[in-house]
Amino acid sequence: MDRFVAFHFGLVQDVGVLRDLVLLAAASPSRAIHLLVSAKLADLDDDGRWMGEIERLGAQIGVTPFVYESPFDCLRELGPGRGLVIAGSESDSRAHRDAHELFRAVPGRIRTVTLQHGFECVGFLHNARHDATAGRAVRFAADVAVGWFELERLYSVSSTERTKIFVAGPPSLINQQVRRTAPQSELPGLVCENLHSVRFVNGRMRESFLDTLLEFAERLKMVGEKLVLRPHPAGRFTQRRGVALPDNVEVSRDPLYDMDLGSFRYVISAPSTILFDFALAGVPVATWVDTGGQVDAHNFAGLSKVATVDDWWRFHLAANWERDLLVEQQDEFIRSLHLPGDIRGRYEQLLELA
């Protein structure tokens, strides 16, 4: 029978999560590759940006993405062969329903895998709001759940799912990153907004972040500096709400894999995987927290924190004058996570399950 590896895209974030793993799997000619795309993803991708990225990925490997309506459409597409289906996100959480239903429907000749798709991730590593919205007993339909860290760090994995964990590290590190050494004073800062997140439990928190962002941008404008704003790919809160931005703020929606992460002087964001991505790239990062203490950032302890506009401004200056110190503190935080040594090798081992 034919051997295959299929990749399931249910959220727009899955594109960035799965891309490097798709390319790794496609490098072996012994396995057929399938790209399974939930029709519901189109509802989340209202301007077609991320469906275009899936089609671009398919063109790179010579595979046409398959958009499906039901799990049985996928089973017909995969045929009678044996193989592996890997989802960028799967659990019994409502947001992951499509992948969860597919994994419950596949026959035993097909093994199923879900990935930890962010630094904090439902079923793997929670903040307080994850616990409140998803609970503490998240279940996977997948046979294998791939984590970034050892189990003692993945303290939100429920007792019923612990035997499923395979530690491979972040898929973004399948290919080695190179750190930039350009003069930092010549680079703009980056602010990332994920205001759609469950972290923002009320409008006041969103208003606090936006007010601080806009006041900070005006300060930069006074000294002739620009700022780049990156909306979350799924939320795009500032764009969808029509938030008016100062003319020194540029909006970037480019996928991270198309960006030179080292082309920014620093990054400020509410707790998010993007802080981890840029810390790995050797860029100073700061976690935004609200002055009322409602934002749970305990999983990011070890990274700089900012709340008020004065905090943002001090970090803006420190990223230029104390950059080496900030980066060394971040590197210590990364070392404390004990990431696997051979991440590429572990994902190659995972693909052998096909």
Side-chain angles (χ1 to χ4, degrees):
M1 287 188 178
D2 294 337
R3 303 279 177 167
F4 65 81
V5 179
F7 295 89
H8 181 272
F9 298 82
L11 303 174
V12 297
Q13 302 96 297
D14 292 346
V15 182
V17 172
L18 289 171
R19 181 178 178 273
D20 285 342
L21 188 53
V22 171
L23 295 175
L24 180 64
S28 171
S30 62
R31 298 182 290 253
I33 305 296
H34 297 270
L35 304 179
L36 308 175
V37 185
S38 165
K40 293 179 183 177
L41 185 145
D43 295 334
L44 303 171
D45 183 30
D46 53 9
D47 65 355
R49 173 66 183 269
W50 295 96
M51 190 63 213
E53 287 297 315
I54 297 173
E55 291 170 350
R56 173 188 168 196
L57 177 60
Q60 283 184 262
I61 63 174
V63 172
T64 301
F66 177 74
V67 180
Y68 76 90
E69 296 284 349
S70 78
F72 303 102
D73 296 334
C74 292
L75 298 182
R76 284 191 292 269
E77 170 71 7
L78 297 176
R82 302 177 67 87
L84 193 64
V85 182
I86 302 175
S89 49
E90 183 275 320
S91 74
D92 59 5
S93 170
R94 182 177 180 180
H96 305 157
R97 180 181 299 168
D98 287 355
H100 192 64
E101 291 180 353
L102 172 61
F103 281 13
R104 292 177 65 187
V106 298
R109 59 184 168 81
I110 298 175
R111 291 184 176 178
T112 52
V113 176
T114 187
L115 304 182
Q116 180 179 346
H117 56 271
F119 187 85
E120 293 181 323
C121 179
V122 169
F124 290 91
L125 182 63
H126 290 187
N127 58 61
R129 291 300 300 163
H130 280 138
D131 282 343
T133 56
R136 299 184 179 183
V138 175
R139 302 292 295 269
F140 305 116
D143 300 314
V144 179
V146 179
W148 291 10
F149 320 117
E150 297 296 337
L151 265 172
E152 58 267 22
R153 181 81 188 189
L154 297 175
Y155 50 76
S156 301
V157 177
S158 68
S159 59
T160 61
E161 309 301 287
R162 294 175 70 84
T163 58
K164 296 181 178 181
I165 297 296
F166 174 78
V167 179
S172 62
L173 293 182
I174 288 174
N175 298 308
Q176 187 67 36
Q177 294 185 353
V178 178
R179 290 190 172 184
R180 184 185 178 96
T181 57
Q184 296 299 300
S185 59
E186 299 175 6
L187 306 176
L190 175 69
V191 174
C192 302
E193 66 94 338
N194 55 348
L195 296 177
H196 72 295
S197 170
V198 296
R199 289 182 179 284
F200 292 89
V201 296
N202 56 57
R204 292 189 303 276
M205 292 173 66
R206 294 188 178 93
E207 290 170 6
S208 174
F209 183 92
L210 284 173
D211 289 346
T212 306
L213 164 65
L214 296 175
E215 186 177 347
F216 179 66
E218 291 293 347
R219 286 197 188 185
L220 289 176
K221 187 176 180 179
M222 291 174 64
V223 295
E225 293 200 35
K226 295 184 177 181
L227 187 68
V228 178
L229 175 66
R230 176 182 173 81
H232 189 281
R236 292 162 43 214
F237 185 91
T238 48
Q239 178 184 355
R240 287 173 168 156
R241 297 297 178 93
V243 176
L245 301 172
D247 57 15
N248 66 323
V249 177
E250 173 189 342
V251 177
S252 173
R253 291 185 57 203
D254 292 339
L256 281 188
Y257 50 79
D258 278 345
M259 296 171 64
D260 174 5
L261 303 193
S263 63
F264 297 97
R265 192 189 310 184
Y266 55 84
V267 175
I268 297 173
S269 174
S272 168
T273 304
I274 207 158
L275 294 167
F276 178 69
D277 293 328
F278 277 91
L280 285 170
V283 177
V285 302
T287 309
W288 177 81
V289 294
D290 65 308
T291 55
Q294 295 187 71
V295 173
D296 177 13
H298 78 277
N299 288 322
F300 295 84
L303 302 181
S304 299
K305 288 185 175 62
V306 294
T308 67
V309 69
D310 288 333
D311 294 337
W312 287 39
W313 188 254
R314 283 189 289 269
F315 181 72
H316 162 80
L317 297 175
N320 190 46
W321 300 110
E322 300 176 6
R323 178 180 180 277
D324 290 344
L325 175 61
L326 292 173
V327 171
E328 175 53 35
Q329 291 172 345
Q330 293 171 185
D331 287 347
E332 180 59 33
F333 168 73
I334 292 168
R335 285 191 291 269
S336 74
L337 300 174
H338 301 293
L339 295 172
D342 182 13
I343 290 175
R344 184 184 185 91
R346 294 200 181 200
Y347 278 102
E348 288 174 338
Q349 182 182 352
L350 177 74
L351 293 171
E352 288 300 317
L353 291 174

